[in-house]
Amino acid sequence: MYEKLNISAEPPAPAEQQAALRALLAAVQPDLNGVVEAFIRQFYDELLKQTRFSRVLKLLSVAEFSRLRSNQERHLRSLFVGSSEASVRVARHVGRVHALIGLDASWLVEAYGLYTRLLIGHFAAWVDPSERAALLRYFITRLQDELQWQIEGHEDIVRQFDAALVRIDAAILTAHTLSDLLRAVLGALENIEGVLAGTIGRPDAAGVVQFEHAFGSRFKSLYLDRIDSGEAAFTTVRGDAAEGLGVSGRAWRSREVQYTASYACDPAILPWKDVADELGVRSAVSIPILDASGQPIALMDLYSSYPGFFTSSTRRVFVEHLQKVLGLAFARYAHSPSGVVPYARRQFYVDLLDHSGLQMRYQPVVNLKTGRPEKFEALARLQRRDGGELIAPGEFLPVLGAHDMWRLFSLGLEQALHARQRWAQQGIDLDVSVNMPPVALSDPRYVERVEQLLRSHALEPRRLTLELLESSDLDISERRDALLARFRATGVRLAEDDLGSGYSSLLRLDSFPFDEVKIDQGLLGGLGKAPRRALDFIQHLTRLAHDLGSTVVVEGLESAGLVEAAIILQADAGQGYGLARPMPADAVVDWVRGFHLTINRDHPRTALGIYAAHLLWEQRLAYMTPWPDALPLAARAATALHHYIEVEGLEGGPLHLAYQRLISALSEGLETPAFARAQQDMRRQLDLLVRAELGR
């Protein structure tokens, strides 16, 4: 920003002159105290007359201002001693401090001009005329050196802010999750001298701000860890409480950045005054993160150990950049779970993962042609230290960053392969599958870990399936293509999880060579309202996957009816509570030995099964439209429904009557109004039958 000032161009003075100067400096020492006190008093009186200097100085408490004057007096006395390496270090430190309290570098130049003018005036009244010229030459040169050193220190802080911006902008391009991006932003800010702590949080339903990410170890222990116990005041965005009148509450309500330039001068910080004093917090800024419509969705709070830290013009520009970056980040990750997860809970999950809290549970995937389990999917759970209920992935997955996700995958895969090895030793030689986040196709650590564990467990690669979770971020790129090819080269099977949960998952079927697809269990959630539509989805997705050469697993088979429907709709395998719940590794062997699924495609025994069979019958019927003579054969093919009515004792009921009308109308032709009415009536009766079976 500033070029180096070449203010010492004259050659060094001869040794005798330097000795004379040192003697002169020593000679004025006895009268120095009175001059220093008077000079410092006049210097600050003059600064206080100038608005911009006055604004900064008035941010200081009485004690802070007194310390500042004492430091200035000590500094002035140091000028009467020859410069040294210590002088350079002190001056650069002073320059950094000036930057930290919000003084621009141009202000330093102006202040030094005033300092020099006042010092010359004091010399005129104090020093003997025969000594004045030599002392003035020395002090002007020394002050110019001091100014240069201070500007260098000032620029150190400027460079730290520039480096933080570079890291933040890079994180926007490389972060895979909102959690990763927010941690990267806070990590960049943590490296700036003077930034004591920072948080990102969102208000809960009661308006209390729940801090979800934070840095600053003392801040965490002295404030965040005390909130839940009531030892420290919480923060709210409501304006009817004292805890909502600080910068955070004001920022949320106003939707504008709010500053506390000095904790010593702001009565609104009273609820947090004691902890702020303990932490050494002197100023703060709260940045509301706004969505596309300008509504606040989160808050970033930053704290400094220096008054005025955030209020200079250059800092305000920096803060505005942060606000825009974070707004774009939240918009980019709008699909991420939006529930408020407090910092303490996030840390709780990460600590469990880091301290042997990961406990895999295993759910069988059953072959729907043989009725036997063909593999087990390893599902991550976290075990509380008190041995309480296991924590489901829906709670902890959204809060994990990239490194945590890598740890989860690495530990989970190792546990799963070890469990499979133990089952094989007991005669149960089944495959195993493990979930893998989309970031695995942009992070080589995942495939390297897979290669390493396959070698260490001597496992035939095709016995392991890696299930790639649904994500709109899973696009095509050269890097991802290369890593995908490397995964393929290991010989493991690749599966697309949650097919049908998003448009991107359908597109990827043609872009990625999946061996297996898993139909999203969310598609089955509409069975109660629209059974036929849900069954149609399953059938069409199954056919699409088969056409592309992939096997199909239907997830979420929670009942015998769903299992039967998946069998009839020709899925290859199924998984869900209707078959078995996830179980510990030690329970797998006994379960496998005692399980067998009876399969009868021709005679369904459930409402969903008969609806699926009728759906297939209708489709076969449509193929016969060009050949009316074949319709009697089609009528005889509806034996599954007729058998169900007989077995369930439904003769003479609404379903039986609808069936009879349908068969009767069939003889008149598929395109007649009578057949269309009978077909709609049949579907209504089957809808009612399914809803009754589901208890809805």
Side-chain angles (χ1 to χ4, degrees):
M1 183 184 297
Y2 289 87
E3 296 180 358
K4 183 171 177 67
L5 304 176
N6 187 13
I7 42 93
S8 300
E10 296 183 4
E16 60 272 15
Q17 291 185 19
Q18 294 183 27
L21 179 60
R22 286 195 295 271
L24 182 57
L25 290 173
V28 299
Q29 293 292 327
D31 299 322
L32 194 57
N33 285 340
V35 176
V36 166
E37 292 176 6
F39 170 77
I40 295 301
R41 189 182 311 114
Q42 183 182 9
F43 176 63
Y44 280 106
D45 286 345
E46 293 293 328
L47 284 180
L48 287 168
K49 292 176 184 178
Q50 301 184 40
T51 303
R52 57 180 181 173
F53 288 110
S54 174
R55 187 174 65 248
V56 173
L57 291 173
K58 287 181 178 179
L59 297 177
L60 305 178
S61 66
V62 173
E64 288 170 337
F65 189 50
S66 176
R67 285 197 298 273
L68 177 63
R69 289 171 64 102
S70 297
N71 290 337
Q72 281 286 5
E73 290 178 4
R74 187 160 50 250
H75 176 254
L76 182 54
R77 290 190 181 92
S78 73
L79 297 180
F80 287 84
V81 180
S83 63
S84 63
E85 286 298 322
S87 305
V88 177
R89 288 195 301 272
V90 170
R92 285 178 174 161
H93 172 73
V94 171
R96 290 198 303 275
V97 171
H98 284 143
L100 294 170
I101 63 174
L103 291 178
D104 292 333
S106 61
W107 296 19
L108 290 181
V109 177
E110 185 177 342
Y112 260 87
L114 173 63
Y115 199 92
T116 302
R117 290 195 302 275
L118 293 178
L119 198 57
I120 290 173
H122 275 267
F123 269 109
W126 172 46
V127 182
D128 185 272
S130 62
E131 303 168 335
R132 190 177 304 154
L135 280 174
L136 283 177
R137 280 196 303 271
Y138 164 75
F139 276 111
I140 289 173
T141 300
R142 177 67 186 275
L143 287 175
Q144 288 175 329
D145 286 340
E146 288 273 331
L147 175 58
Q148 176 61 47
W149 298 332
Q150 288 202 23
I151 288 175
E152 290 172 357
H154 192 284
E155 288 183 329
D156 286 344
I157 303 302
V158 174
R159 281 191 290 271
Q160 290 179 30
F161 276 91
D162 290 343
L165 281 179
V166 170
R167 285 187 59 187
I168 290 169
D169 291 343
I172 295 173
L173 299 175
T174 58
H176 295 285
T177 67
L178 178 61
S179 180
D180 285 342
L181 177 58
L182 297 181
R183 291 180 184 184
V185 170
L186 291 179
L189 296 172
E190 188 175 14
N191 288 329
I192 298 175
E193 184 177 346
V195 179
L196 188 69
T199 62
I200 292 177
R202 288 178 280 182
D204 59 18
V208 177
V209 177
Q210 301 293 338
F211 299 104
E212 300 175 76
H213 297 272
F215 70 83
S217 56
R218 293 191 71 244
F219 182 86
K220 293 175 184 177
S221 61
L222 294 179
Y223 180 57
L224 295 184
D225 293 346
R226 294 179 178 178
I227 294 177
D228 290 340
S229 65
E231 298 176 60
F234 59 85
T235 299
T236 180
V237 298
R238 295 173 52 182
D240 57 354
E243 294 82 4
L245 301 180
V247 284
S248 301
R250 299 199 306 267
W252 184 268
R253 293 191 300 274
S254 69
R255 302 173 179 80
E256 296 178 351
V257 176
Q258 296 291 321
Y259 300 87
T260 290
S262 172
Y263 269 43
C265 308
D266 188 350
I269 62 95
L270 186 61
W272 308 278
K273 185 178 185 307
D274 290 342
V275 70
D277 289 343
E278 191 174 2
L279 285 165
V281 174
R282 296 294 180 266
S283 62
V285 63
S286 186
I287 307 169
I289 303 167
L290 309 178
D291 63 16
S293 62
Q295 297 301 311
I297 50 179
L299 286 168
M300 169 180 273
D301 291 330
L302 300 175
Y303 304 89
S304 175
S305 49
Y306 292 87
F309 183 89
F310 301 102
T311 53
S312 71
S313 58
T314 54
R315 300 291 158 72
R316 288 176 184 267
V317 171
F318 181 86
V319 166
E320 290 172 5
H321 181 82
L322 272 182
Q323 186 181 35
K324 291 178 181 177
V325 164
L326 293 169
L328 291 172
F330 272 80
R332 175 183 173 187
Y333 297 102
H335 62 278
S336 299
S338 58
V340 177
V341 181
Y343 158 79
R345 195 186 309 168
R346 288 175 179 269
Q347 195 58 46
F348 171 71
Y349 296 148
V350 174
D351 286 345
L352 287 181
L353 180 61
D354 288 341
H355 295 88
S356 304
L358 179 64
Q359 297 292 323
M360 303 303 283
R361 291 294 182 264
Y362 300 88
Q363 188 173 36
V365 176
V366 176
N367 187 305
L368 297 182
K369 294 179 174 62
T370 66
R372 300 299 300 175
E374 61 183 27
K375 66 180 171 182
F376 277 80
E377 179 183 358
L379 302 168
R381 303 288 188 267
L382 290 179
Q383 176 66 66
R384 302 175 190 275
R385 292 182 180 175
D386 60 5
E389 188 176 343
L390 291 172
I391 303 170
E395 290 188 47
F396 61 81
L397 281 182
V399 312
L400 299 183
H403 178 69
D404 302 322
M405 288 296 289
W406 149 246
R407 290 265 298 146
L408 178 68
F409 173 79
S410 178
L411 295 171
L413 178 59
E414 186 171 17
Q415 282 192 31
L417 295 184
H418 184 60
R420 188 207 166 277
Q421 197 172 49
R422 295 202 313 272
W423 304 333
Q425 290 169 354
Q426 298 176 67
I428 303 300
D429 192 14
L430 295 174
D431 296 353
V432 69
S433 66
V434 177
N435 289 311
M436 185 170 71
V439 70
L441 294 188
S442 56
D443 186 343
R445 291 182 301 172
Y446 285 82
V447 69
E448 290 167 0
R449 184 61 168 158
V450 170
E451 292 168 340
Q452 177 192 19
L453 289 175
L454 286 175
R455 288 193 300 269
S456 64
H457 286 79
L459 177 68
E460 189 178 354
R462 67 179 183 82
R463 309 301 301 274
L464 170 64
T465 302
L466 298 176
E467 298 185 15
L468 198 64
L469 297 171
E470 156 73 13
S471 171
S472 59
D473 293 334
L474 189 57
D475 55 2
I476 304 297
S477 68
E478 290 184 4
R479 183 178 185 184
R480 290 187 173 183
D481 280 348
L483 282 175
L484 181 60
R486 190 170 168 186
F487 272 112
R488 299 294 303 178
T490 66
V492 302
R493 289 173 56 83
L494 293 178
E496 178 175 17
D497 201 8
D498 294 342
L499 176 65
S501 64
Y503 180 62
S504 61
S505 67
L506 295 175
L507 292 178
R508 288 203 306 276
L509 270 181
D510 189 41
S511 303
F512 290 83
F514 291 111
D515 301 290
E516 175 186 300
V517 296
K518 302 187 77 172
I519 294 179
D520 178 30
Q521 60 182 319
L523 293 176
L524 304 180
L527 278 169
K529 293 182 179 179
R532 182 182 178 85
R533 180 177 297 179
L535 294 173
D536 265 335
F537 265 123
I538 294 173
Q539 185 192 20
H540 285 102
L541 289 175
T542 298
R543 183 181 300 165
L544 175 63
H546 282 164
D547 288 345
L548 293 172
S550 300
T551 60
V552 175
V553 178
V554 180
E555 297 181 292
L557 302 183
E558 308 296 307
S559 66
L562 283 169
V563 173
E564 201 168 57
I567 291 171
I568 291 169
L569 295 176
Q570 300 178 353
D572 299 292
Q575 181 178 0
Y577 286 6
L579 295 166
R581 291 176 174 269
M583 62 190 77
D586 292 343
V588 165
V589 171
D590 287 342
W591 181 88
V592 171
R593 288 172 176 164
F595 175 83
H596 182 75
L597 176 66
T598 301
I599 294 175
N600 189 337
R601 285 185 170 82
D602 297 326
H603 297 110
R605 293 170 294 177
T606 66
L608 277 169
I610 198 61
Y611 206 151
H614 184 73
L615 178 64
L616 291 183
W617 179 78
E618 282 190 335
Q619 289 174 351
R620 295 190 190 104
L621 200 63
Y623 298 147
M624 298 180 182
T625 302
W627 301 281
D629 294 342
L631 292 180
L633 296 175
R636 289 196 294 272
T639 54
L641 183 54
H642 186 267
H643 180 268
Y644 178 82
I645 291 170
E646 287 184 344
V647 170
E648 296 296 322
L650 300 177
E651 294 93 338
L655 181 65
H656 187 203
L657 295 176
Y659 169 74
Q660 290 176 330
R661 285 192 294 269
L662 182 66
I663 297 301
S664 176
L666 182 61
S667 63
E668 301 179 27
L670 299 180
E671 298 179 352
T672 63
F675 180 77
R677 288 193 298 271
Q679 190 176 44
Q680 288 300 319
D681 186 34
M682 186 74 244
R683 291 175 181 176
R684 280 193 295 270
Q685 294 303 321
L686 288 172
D687 283 347
L688 293 172
L689 190 69
V690 168
R691 289 174 185 143
E693 182 174 84
L694 296 174
R696 298 178 182 178

